[in-house]
Amino acid sequence: MKFFIDTANLDQIREAQALGVLDGVTTNPSLMAKEGITGRNNILKHYVDICTIVDGDVSAEVIATTFDEIIKEGQELSELHEQIVVKVPMIKDGVKALKYFYDTGIRTNCTLVFSAGQALLAAKAGATYVSPFIGRLDDISTDGLNLIAEIRHIYDNYGFETQILAASIRHTMHVIDCAKLGADVMTGPLSSIEGLLKHPLTDIGLEKFLADYKKGN
Ligand code: E4P
């Protein structure tokens, strides 16, 4: 399972990278705005800065919503750095663009996916990644994890190569449940990754080991 961090915060990306388990980064316009990154040139520079910190794929989202504009913007983003994956929304022109990018060798992440049908369409169009937003489904009393299971089932039925990128992860249990269900990738906040470290018995055990060592030395 690949671990992506879902942020545009460079310090958090550095911290996750330093842990040695980071495989990539996802961003979106809201995450960019949260870091105060505004203006086209600053946003493009920020993507390159992220690429210099991590070794893996970095999703950069298009703002355009029409086919021609998505293509233009996606090409510009993909030329920024070889690690860039163009993030395209699940809309009609987005699906057309996914197919275009597939045919021209540009890697994509189909975002804002909330149903198995949308995920099937993304795979048919040749998306590299599909991003089902599980946290936002949970927010409206719909089982986000069930969507991961449905997509896994459908993709395995037909051998689709599109990778399931479980997105809108909110906490550590989401990560563990997505791993059980066979999601290829998860993207979440740093806290969802660091939460995997924690167990009180580890802390108690370590404290005891160190105390016992001190007794004899
Ligand atoms: C995915 O790529 C999105 O950036 C993200 O996971 C959305 O998460 P949110 O629902 O916490 O905003």
Side-chain angles (χ1 to χ4, degrees):
M1 187 191 210
K2 289 188 212 168
F3 278 11
F4 289 180
I5 187 169
D6 195 30
T7 186
N9 181 290
L10 298 184
D11 288 338
Q12 288 186 20
I13 294 170
R14 280 190 200 97
E15 208 170 325
Q17 173 70 17
L19 194 57
V21 298
L22 191 67
D23 300 297
V25 177
T26 52
T27 62
N28 64 41
S30 305
L31 292 171
M32 282 289 187
K34 192 175 163 195
E35 297 309 317
I37 314 295
T38 55
R40 197 66 191 153
N41 288 342
N42 291 333
I43 289 171
L44 297 183
K45 180 185 173 300
H46 203 72
Y47 286 137
V48 176
D49 289 345
I50 292 173
C51 289
T52 61
I53 297 172
V54 297
D55 299 323
D57 291 346
V58 175
S59 287
E61 187 158 342
V62 298
I63 304 303
T65 54
T66 61
F67 178 77
D68 289 343
E69 290 297 315
I70 294 173
I71 299 307
K72 191 169 155 226
E73 197 183 342
Q75 273 165 344
E76 183 187 19
L77 290 171
S78 74
E79 282 162 16
L80 283 177
H81 199 283
E82 61 187 6
Q83 286 165 241
I84 293 285
V85 173
V86 179
K87 209 169 174 188
V88 179
M90 172 40 76
I91 55 175
K92 199 169 187 178
D93 280 24
V95 173
K96 291 180 195 171
L98 289 173
K99 180 67 170 72
Y100 176 89
F101 287 136
Y102 176 79
D103 289 339
T104 52
I106 291 176
R107 294 177 310 135
T108 54
N109 173 359
C110 181
T111 190
L112 291 167
V113 166
F114 293 95
S115 75
Q118 291 178 325
L120 178 57
L121 207 47
K124 286 286 293 174
T128 312
Y129 296 101
V130 65
S131 287
F133 278 33
I134 65 172
R136 292 192 193 186
L137 282 170
D138 288 355
D139 288 346
I140 58 157
S141 307
T142 303
D143 187 357
L145 289 169
N146 184 51
L147 177 59
I148 300 294
E150 284 184 326
I151 300 172
R152 181 73 284 154
H153 186 77
I154 291 169
Y155 282 12
D156 288 350
N157 276 350
Y158 297 99
F160 284 121
E161 287 178 7
T162 299
Q163 295 176 55
I164 302 171
L165 195 173
S168 188
I169 293 259
R170 298 281 163 75
H171 47 72
T172 301
M173 274 314 293
H174 270 157
V175 179
I176 295 167
D177 286 332
C178 285
K180 285 184 189 169
L181 292 168
D184 300 290
V185 192
M186 79 86 199
T187 191
L190 183 59
S191 59
S192 68
I193 299 173
E194 290 188 334
L196 295 166
L197 271 169
K198 293 175 192 160
H199 198 290
L201 290 180
T202 304
D203 299 338
I204 292 166
L206 182 60
E207 201 178 324
K208 175 94 172 60
F209 285 157
L210 296 180
D212 287 345
Y213 173 82
K214 271 185 201 155
K215 279 183 209 163
N217 289 279

